[in-house]
Each structure stands twice: as C-alpha cells, then as structure tokens.
C-alpha cells in the first residue's frame, strides 16, 4: 500500500492511496536447454489485484476499505469406476473457502514542536 497525504485548510486531509494485493498461485518449472544437465528455473505465476483512490477526510477520522473478497471452490472424486458408486469405495468431497480483507486507515495530523503556535502554548 502506498499512501500520499496532503494537508488542506481547516484540518482536512487529501489522501491518495494505491493498494495492490499479490498472491503466488504456482511455481512453474522451466527447463533451460534441451537436456536435463542444463538446469532449470522456477517461474512464479502470480495473481494481482489493485486500485487507486483519493478521498478528503478530517484528521482522526477512519476510512474502512473492503471488497477484497476471494472464494475458492475445490471438489475431489475418487473410486473404482464411477466415483458415485459407494459400494466400490467411491467418494466425493467438496470444500469452499471464503476470505475477506478489510483495511482501516486513520490519518492523524501531528503538530510540530517547531511551530510558533506550539511554542506559545508551552509558555
């Protein structure tokens, strides 16, 4: 995540943020040359999702980002002949996984101790 804040008048902030999520799907083995003695490398297969957004908000307010949802479905069948034939040891299994990523941003503008207004409050 990259965040670029800009302080505006009256304690408001302009936040521009870029969020990218990458996930390693698989490692593909690639042979170098025509024989096995040449060696091999692993080529990553990556899935990426991302967006860029800009929002104006006040210092201390929270921004909730969601919508990064991923659903995985997996089904396995095994057995002799047809997997639906339970007499011959057939079986079927299904699995569903759901994940949601939530990001909460709360920017706070800090006062610099070098500002004249801050030094006047200390006296």
């Amino acid at each position: 995540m990259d965040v670029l804040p800009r302080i505006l008048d009256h304690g408001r902030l302009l936040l521009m943020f870029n969020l990218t999520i990458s996930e390693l799907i698989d490692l593909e083995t690639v042979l170098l040359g025509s024989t096995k003695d040449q060696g091999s490398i692993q080529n990553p297969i990556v899935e990426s999702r991302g967006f860029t957004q800009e929002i104006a908000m006040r210092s201390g307010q929270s921004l909730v980002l969601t919508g990064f949802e991923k659903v995985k479905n997996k089904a396995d069948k095994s057995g002799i002949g047809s997997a639906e034939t339970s007499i011959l040891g057939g079986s079927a299994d299904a699995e569903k996984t759901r994940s949601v990523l939530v990001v909460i941003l709360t920017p706070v503008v800090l006062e610099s101790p070098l500002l004249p207004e801050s030094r006047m409050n200390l006296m």
Side-chain angles (χ1 to χ4, degrees):
M1 175 181 245
D2 297 320
V3 179
L4 179 64
R6 209 168 111 201
I7 300 174
L8 303 174
D9 294 335
H10 307 295
R12 291 180 353 143
L13 293 143
L14 186 63
L15 283 181
M16 183 170 69
F17 51 91
N18 178 17
L19 184 63
T20 304
I21 297 175
S22 299
E23 181 179 357
L24 178 65
I25 302 298
D26 196 14
L27 287 173
E28 175 186 44
T29 302
V30 179
L31 296 175
L32 300 174
S34 58
T35 63
K36 289 185 179 181
D37 297 336
Q38 297 281 331
S40 65
I41 61 169
Q42 289 185 320
N43 186 26
I45 299 173
V46 178
E47 178 183 282
S48 294
R49 302 175 282 165
F51 70 94
T52 301
Q53 189 72 35
E54 191 173 54
I55 186 167
M57 55 194 305
R58 296 201 182 279
S59 176
Q61 285 183 328
S62 294
L63 174 67
V64 178
L65 302 172
T66 186
F68 287 100
E69 182 176 357
K70 185 168 190 170
V71 178
K72 284 186 179 180
N73 294 319
K74 179 181 175 184
D76 292 322
K77 292 183 179 181
S78 63
I80 299 173
S82 175
E84 285 80 21
T85 309
S86 60
I87 296 174
L88 299 175
S91 67
D93 185 31
E95 181 181 333
K96 183 176 183 177
T97 307
R98 179 177 177 239
S99 63
V100 178
L101 175 67
V102 177
V103 178
I104 301 173
L105 294 174
T106 307
V108 177
V109 177
L110 303 176
E111 285 189 31
S112 172
L114 302 176
L115 289 175
E117 294 86 9
S118 300
R119 282 186 265 147
M120 291 176 63
N121 291 337
L122 295 175
M123 294 179 185

